[in-house]
Amino acid sequence: MSAETSVPRPRESGLDISDSGLFRGLMSEAPFAFAFFDASGRFVRVNSTFTELTGHPVERHLEMTPAELLSADLATMIDSALRRIGGEGLPVTDQRIRTRAENGDTRHWAVSFFPMREDDLLLGTALFGVDLTERQQTEEELRRSEERYRSLVESQQQLVWITSPSGVAVEDAPQWRAVTGQGLEEYLAHGWLDAVHPDDRTGAEEAWREALRGRTMFEWSFRVRTRASGYRHFEVRAVPIIRHGRVIEWVGANSDVTPQREAEEMRGRLTDQLGAAALRTARLQGATAQLAEALTVEQVVQVIIDVGRTALAADHSGVALLDDQDRASLKVINSGGVPDAPGISGDEIALSTTSMMTMAVNSRRPVFAESQQSLRNQLVEAGADDERVTEFLDGTGERAWVGLPLLAAGRALGALRFSFNRPQKISQEDGVFLEALAGQCALAVERATLFEREHKTAETLQRSLLPDNLPVVGGLVLAQRFRSGSRHVQVGGDWYDAFVLQDGRVAAVLGDVMGKGVKAAAGMGRIRNAMRALALTNPPPAAVLTGLDRVFEATEEEEQVTTLAYMVVEPGTGEGTLALAGHPPPLLVSPQGVAVLHETEPGTPLGWATSRKQFRFCVPPGHTAVLYSDGLVENRKRGLDAGLRDLSNVVAEAPPEVVASPHMLLDFLVDRMLSGYEQDDDVTVLAVHVPPATKSD
């Protein structure tokens, strides 16, 4: 027989099966792996599918033994099968192997070996292999699906039970009885309803009877008594089994949902806690923002009262600060927030007495009293007189109290007192919030105290540097208005001055040292004194400004900005000169109420090296020249250009009698320019008025 084939030639069809072309065509198109080994165990034929199993091309296999070509596992399996066929002459079938493709995927194969004989002579062995990868994957997915389903059912801990069409238990439910501890007779006599919590039983029984009557699905939830005498939450679902239009039985399953219920309750509690925490945080942030805007102690106290009312829902809020002198007593800032109580006489509370505030200050710790009895115990334990405490509690409508120390860097500043006309439970989280609130209040009180101290010093310095009176000169009327912005902000560096020069002319100046506080006021004082000295020795405006530039460079810091307007006027005629150092131009008002801004180069602020210029400036008889600071025309809502336009328009609205009087004119300008705007800077105005000529003149 030719080596080209391993099967006998069929004689019935007349087809020459040995035709090698036909054989190769059949083998190449076959969906199974094929290989033929001769009697010595060498490859004679393989098809392309078989190469997927071995990973080698067809040509590599021919005349090779498995051991010479294949991996050790595959070669061992093939050699073992060939030896069994050579020794026993029987087929070797369904050998399972795994191979790895070039892309790394694992393939599963079922391989069978069949001996090929002619007469009784073994010609060789044929190998047939089927790729089982898809089937293996399908089986694996099915197995995993079954495992998941089994795990899901087991995890649900469902308890199955069966009743008759009328709802009577007729079969044992071991799982149910294992949970409830019911005996078989008890279960069959009373059924599952007997283990339901008494508060849930009536509703469950009515719903169950309704389902029986309507032959509809029964779904309910209730608590079930367990063997350990506790209760667990179950959800039940039962359906009628209907055959030929009749209910033959009911099948139900109870699922233990206690973990879910407990988790829901926990989530609810956590949600409430997180909501409360978020609310406390928002309230603390709001209080901090309000306290940050409060500059004075009075403003801080008002914020504390508002926070006590809104954030704490307190009925009374009290603030007391330690006396700066002896630090032996507390001074109540808002007496209305501290009703008559033990140890309180008027607005003074001695630290040696016992009260919510003194206990908080002396211990440096918060004091909480959630009821009158709690307050009584704490006060009496701290040394308060029992009769006075009783008298206070009998006469007050308060039912709960909070005392908080105001501490800054460990140093006591005072105390806060909040009270409620109802018992008040104070949780640990509430305590943390109150301590944080007290800390912010303490910082605000300390900041406000320092502000008021510096403000008082700066305001005193500023007013001491301004002239008490303006000179009285024939042929000239001087008027000034100074409105401090210190009610809301620190004092600034606005200043004005007017004095008579040696030649009889009058020098008028208005300046603005940028900045706030003592530093700005001190800078203003230095510039004002230098200005006077220079003007009295060399009065022309250009010379004075040049000299001030040199003084500024020698005494002031580079970042300090100072502007001013300086004019020299001849009494009677109003002839004069003007120079500006970065300052707004003067306003000239005619007797008819027409206002014109003088067209003068504004120049640069002092200290900026420039060639100073002066310009002719005349205040004709009957006219008024107005010098002003930027606080009159500029604020947070109105820019400089708009303010200058408004200034001219306001003058046009002034009645004739106002225009004729420089004092009335300044009052009119200040009132109208600030109307509708919050003052956030000092406002300084200086008027130079030349009276109209008379017949006697």
Side-chain angles (χ1 to χ4, degrees), residues 261-475:
R261 290 293 181 89
E262 291 177 346
E264 289 174 2
E265 293 175 359
M266 178 62 74
R267 282 196 296 270
R269 288 194 296 270
L270 289 176
T271 299
D272 292 342
Q273 292 174 2
L274 290 174
L279 180 59
R280 284 191 293 268
T281 300
R283 287 173 173 174
L284 182 60
Q285 290 176 341
T288 302
Q290 294 179 59
L291 290 169
E293 296 179 358
L295 295 178
T296 65
V297 173
E298 179 184 355
Q299 292 171 342
V300 171
V301 170
Q302 186 58 52
V303 170
I304 293 173
I305 295 173
D306 293 341
V307 169
R309 182 178 61 254
T310 58
L312 304 179
D315 296 290
H316 304 281
S317 302
V319 184
L321 301 180
L322 274 172
D323 186 89
D324 290 335
Q325 301 291 330
D326 56 15
R327 296 185 60 81
S329 62
L330 291 169
K331 182 179 181 181
V332 179
I333 304 302
N334 61 321
S335 57
V338 185
D340 292 338
I344 299 178
S345 177
D347 293 339
E348 296 288 333
I349 309 175
L351 291 181
S352 58
T353 61
T354 302
S355 69
M356 290 294 292
M357 286 184 164
T358 56
M359 286 192 296
V361 172
N362 291 331
S363 66
R364 303 293 200 274
R365 297 171 62 86
V367 180
F368 304 129
E370 299 176 346
S371 64
Q372 287 195 338
Q373 187 60 47
S374 174
L375 179 64
R376 173 188 295 278
N377 294 340
Q378 294 186 65
L379 291 176
V380 172
E381 183 179 352
D385 182 74
D386 191 15
E387 292 185 4
R388 295 194 62 186
V389 173
T390 300
E391 181 183 352
F392 165 70
L393 294 178
D394 290 343
T396 183
E398 299 174 325
R399 294 294 181 268
W401 297 262
V402 172
L404 301 172
L406 294 176
L407 304 175
R411 176 174 173 268
L413 303 178
L416 304 181
R417 180 187 188 275
F418 299 109
S419 61
F420 308 85
N421 293 341
R422 62 196 179 283
Q424 184 79 7
K425 181 66 177 176
I426 301 173
S427 66
Q428 183 178 359
E429 293 78 10
D430 292 332
V432 173
F433 166 74
L434 289 169
E435 288 192 63
L437 176 63
Q440 293 299 319
C441 291
L443 292 176
V445 168
E446 184 180 42
R447 183 178 63 249
T449 302
L450 293 175
F451 168 81
E452 290 185 347
R453 187 178 302 148
E454 180 181 347
H455 168 267
K456 185 176 181 180
T457 302
E459 186 175 30
T460 301
L461 175 60
Q462 182 183 30
R463 291 194 176 277
S464 68
L465 295 174
L466 297 177
D468 295 332
N469 298 294
L470 295 177
V472 178
V473 181

Side-chain angles (χ1 to χ4, degrees), residues 136-152:
Q136 185 78 12
Q137 292 175 344
T138 301
E139 293 175 352
E140 180 68 19
E141 291 176 358
L142 179 60
R143 182 183 62 80
R144 291 179 179 175
S145 177
E146 292 175 348
E147 290 178 349
R148 294 191 189 103
Y149 176 76
R150 188 180 306 110
S151 299
L152 181 61

Side-chain angles (χ1 to χ4, degrees), residues 127-187:
L127 177 151
F128 294 90
V130 179
D131 189 346
L132 302 178
T133 303
E134 292 185 4
R135 188 173 74 180
Q136 185 78 12
Q137 292 175 344
T138 301
E139 293 175 352
E140 180 68 19
E141 291 176 358
L142 179 60
R143 182 183 62 80
R144 291 179 179 175
S145 177
E146 292 175 348
E147 290 178 349
R148 294 191 189 103
Y149 176 76
R150 188 180 306 110
S151 299
L152 181 61
V153 172
E154 292 176 354
S155 66
Q156 294 296 320
Q157 299 181 359
Q158 290 187 332
L159 311 179
V160 180
W161 47 268
I162 300 175
T163 73
S164 67
S166 62
V168 177
V170 295
E171 292 187 16
D172 189 13
Q175 290 177 301
W176 173 264
R177 292 195 299 106
V179 172
T180 63
Q182 289 177 307
L184 178 58
E185 293 182 1
E186 181 185 4
Y187 173 69

Side-chain angles (χ1 to χ4, degrees), residues 482-497:
F482 174 77
R483 182 178 292 186
S484 174
S486 60
R487 181 184 177 188
H488 302 289
V489 298
Q490 292 179 315
V491 294
D494 279 18
W495 58 283
Y496 64 89
D497 201 2

Side-chain angles (χ1 to χ4, degrees), residues 76-86 90 92 95 113 125:
T76 300
M77 187 271 293
I78 294 176
D79 286 340
S80 176
L82 293 178
R83 284 196 300 271
R84 287 179 60 185
I85 288 176
L90 299 175
V92 179
Q95 300 295 299
F113 298 85
T125 301

